[in-house]
Amino acid sequence: MTNGITAYDKGEAPILKISGLDYYYGDFHALKSVSMDICRNSIVALIGPSGCGKSTLLKALDRMSDLIEGSRVSGEVLFNGENIFGAGVDITLLRKRIGMVFQHPNPFALSIADNIKFGPRVHGEKNRETLDSLVESSLRAVGLWDQLKDRLDKKATELQADEQQRLCIARLVAVEPEILLMDEPCSTLDPIATLSIEELMRELKKNYTIITVTHNMQQAARVSDYSGFMLMGELVEYSKTADIFSNPRDKRTDDYISGHYG
Amino acid sequence: MKQAVREAFISKILLLTALSSIGALTLITVFIFAEGLPVIFKTGFFDFIFGMKWKPSRGIFSIFPMIAGSFAVMAGAMLVSVPFALCCSIYLAEFAGRTTRAIVKPAIELLAGIPSVVYGFIGVTVLVPFIKNNIGGNGFSVLGCSIVLGIMVLPTITSISYDALRAVPDSYREGALALGATRWQAVKMAVVPAAGSGIIAAVILGMGRAIGETMAVIMIAGNSLIIPLSPLDPVRTLTSNIALEMGYASGMHRQALFATGVILFVIIMALNILATRVIKRAVR
Ligand SMILES: Nc1ncnc2c1ncn2[C@@H]1O[C@H](COP(=O)(O)OP(=O)(O)O)[C@@H](O)[C@H]1O
Ligand SMILES: [Mg+2]
C-alpha cells in the first residue's frame, strides 16, 4: 500500500524519518505503524477527525509521551539520522531541538522576559546580555517586539490569547530548535488572530520545520506544504497538500475532505 | 408550594446561623476593646506598646517585652517550619507517588489534631532538658518554643502550600518539560513561582497560628519578663501573659490583660487580612 511516505522532493535527506511507529496507551493501539518523512523547512499539516491520534503522534516526536503512565512505543523515528528512542538519547536536549506549542497558550506566570529566558536558563545560559538579546530577537521573530518592548516585566498571563500564543512560540525560538510541533495552535483564537499566526508560521518556515495539527481543512490548505490524513491511528494518506486536496488517492481521505465525517 | 415554604424556612435558618457567628465575633471584639482600651488610653498608646515595665502591683502596664517575645518565638517557629513545610509540600504535590502521598499527607495533617498541651508536655520532658544539657541555658527558651511551635504549624503551612501547588495547571509543567526542563527545573522555575502567592499566604497564616498559640508556649517558654537577646533566653509571649495572670488579676490589672488581648487581636487580624489579600491577588 502506498501512502506516500517519501513525499519530499528536494533531494535532501529528511529531517525526520518516521518508520513503523506504533503507540499504545495500555491496551489501546493509538498509532498503527505510522511511517512518514518530514523534509526540512516545510510545513506539514496533520488532519483527521478528533481522536484519530494526531496529538499522540506529535507527543511521540518530542517524547512528551514518555510522561504518560502505561504507554508503550515501538518503531523508529530518525531525527537527523539518529533514533530518538535510542539508548543514550538526552531527552532534555531532544526537547530543546524539537519544541512543542500547545493548543491552549500556556505562558508561565512569570514576566514576559522571564518566559523567554526560561528555556535558555534551563539549558544553562547565565549571561545577562545573552539572555536579554535573546528576549529581543525571539520577540522580533514572532512579531511581538514592537508592541511589548516597553512592558517586558509585565506578567505574561495578562496578555491577550494570541499574544500569549506568539509568546509561547517565541519561548521556543529562544532555544533555537530545529522542529516546531504545533498542536492546534489556533483553535482557541479568533479568525483574525488565526490568520496572523498562520502568517507567522509561513515566516518561521524559513528557519524551522513545522509539524502542525489542525482540524480546520482550510487552514491546512492555506499554510502547509504537505498534509497527512489520519484515521483511527493510521496515516491513511500523506502527500503534497495541493495533491491531497485536489486529488486524494484514498476513498477515506476523499470522504473526509469533502465533509462526509469529522 | 409547601416545598417552597420549607426551602425558604431552611435558608432563613442557615442565614441565621451564619449571622450568629458574625454576631459572636462582634460581641467578642466589642467586649475585648471595651475592657482593654481604657488602660491603653490611660497609659498612653506609645508607652503601653513600647514601654519596658509590666508591674501590676504598682499599676505599671507596658508590654514591649511580650511583643518582642511573641515575635521572637514566631520568627523562630517560621525558621524551623517554613523550609520543612515547603520541602514537604513540594515533595507531596510534585514528586510523591500515590501511595506515599496517601500515607504522608494524613500523617502531617494528624499533627494538627494533637492537643497543644501534649506538645507542651513533650517539650518540657524531652526538649527542655535536651537543650539544657547539650546547648546551654536552663532549657526554657525561645529555641525550645520555636521548635515546638514550628512542628505545630507545620500542617497549616504544608497543607495550604500543597493546595496552592496542586492548583497550578498541568500546562505549566508540560510547557516547562517541553522546553527540555528536568522535573526539578519545571517545579522550581515554573510551578513554585505560579503558586507563590498561595505559599506566602500559607506562611502568613502559619505566623498567625504561631503567635496565637498559648498552652505549649507557657509550658516551654520560661515566661520571664525580659526581652530575649539569645535563642537560649526565656521569654513571655502576649498569649502566655494573659493566660498566666488572668486567674488572679482584678481591676486595672485585669483590664491591662484585656489590653494585651487587644494588641494580640490586632496582630492576628492584620495577618489574616494580609493573607486573604495575597490570595485574592493570586486569583486575579
Ligand atoms: N493519556 C491517554 N490515555 C489513554 N488514551 C488516550 C490518552 N490520550 C489520548 N488517548 C486516546 O488516544 C486516541 C488518540 O488521541 P489524540 O492523539 O489526542 O487524538 P487527536 O489529537 O487526533 O484528537 C483517542 O482515542 C484518545 O481517547
Ligand atoms: Mg488533539
Side-chain angles (χ1 to χ4, degrees), chain A residues 1-9 34-39 42-47 57 210-212 217 220-230 234-251 253-254 257:
Chain A
M1 183 184 125
T2 157
N3 58 11
I5 59 163
T6 51
Y8 59 95
D9 54 4
V34 171
S35 298
M36 66 198 298
D37 291 353
I38 312 283
C39 63
S42 63
I43 300 183
V44 175
L46 295 172
I47 57 173
L57 177 55
I210 297 176
I211 307 176
T212 182
M217 227 84 58
R222 277 195 303 262
V223 297
S224 68
D225 304 305
Y226 301 92
S227 292
F229 170 62
M230 294 182 71
E234 210 183 308
L235 180 66
V236 173
E237 186 163 343
Y238 174 49
S239 61
K240 284 196 167 165
T241 299
D243 295 345
I244 210 171
F245 279 99
S246 61
N247 198 359
R249 272 170 289 146
D250 195 292
K251 169 122 187 357
T253 318
D254 195 11
I257 289 171

Side-chain angles (χ1 to χ4, degrees), chain B residues 240-254:
Chain B
S240 26
N241 189 46
I242 299 172
L244 286 166
E245 299 188 1
M246 203 43 128
Y248 61 86
S250 63
M252 179 113 160
H253 182 192
R254 206 177 90 102

Side-chain angles (χ1 to χ4, degrees), chain A residues 123-143:
Chain A
H123 296 286
E125 182 57 67
K126 292 205 174 72
N127 186 296
R128 252 174 202 224
E129 278 134 46
T130 314
L131 288 169
D132 285 335
S133 73
L134 275 172
V135 169
E136 177 169 349
S137 59
S138 310
L139 285 176
R140 276 192 196 285
V142 300

Side-chain angles (χ1 to χ4, degrees), chain B residues 195-257:
Chain B
S197 322
I199 293 174
I200 292 171
V203 173
I204 298 173
L205 290 173
M207 290 161 99
R209 285 219 44 196
I211 249 185
E213 174 51 38
T214 313
M215 188 39 109
V217 175
I218 290 186
M219 294 169 78
I220 307 166
N223 302 314
S224 312
L225 269 167
I226 57 165
I227 293 181
L229 296 176
S230 122
L232 297 176
D233 284 346
V235 272
R236 180 183 293 203
T237 63
L238 294 165
T239 50
S240 26
N241 189 46
I242 299 172
L244 286 166
E245 299 188 1
M246 203 43 128
Y248 61 86
S250 63
M252 179 113 160
H253 182 192
R254 206 177 90 102
Q255 287 188 325
L257 293 180

Side-chain angles (χ1 to χ4, degrees), chain A residues 116 138-139 142 144 165-175:
Chain A
I116 308 274
S138 310
L139 285 176
V142 300
L144 276 180
Q165 196 61 299
R166 278 169 184 269
L167 181 68
C168 290
I169 298 171
R171 193 167 71 178
L172 293 181
V173 168
V175 295

Side-chain angles (χ1 to χ4, degrees), chain A residues 99-103 165 168-169 172 180-185:
Chain A
M100 169 90 82
V101 178
F102 295 82
Q103 186 169 2
Q165 196 61 299
C168 290
I169 298 171
L172 293 181
L180 298 177
L181 307 172
M182 302 189 174
D183 194 349
E184 304 191 27

Side-chain angles (χ1 to χ4, degrees), chain A residues 62 64 67 69 92 95-96 100 102 106-110 118 121-123 157 171-172, chain B residues 98 171-183 185-186 189-190 193-194 284:
Chain A
D62 72 346
M64 284 297 280
L67 303 172
E69 252 173 79
T92 59
R95 292 185 183 147
K96 173 179 183 291
M100 169 90 82
F102 295 82
N106 60 348
F108 304 123
L110 305 169
F118 193 98
R121 278 180 176 146
V122 156
H123 296 286
T157 41
R171 193 167 71 178
L172 293 181
Chain B
R98 231 169 275 145
S171 64
Y172 285 63
R173 299 177 183 86
E174 283 177 358
L177 294 175
L179 277 165
T182 61
R183 277 181 74 190
Q185 284 173 325
M189 296 167 64
R284 198 185 52 184

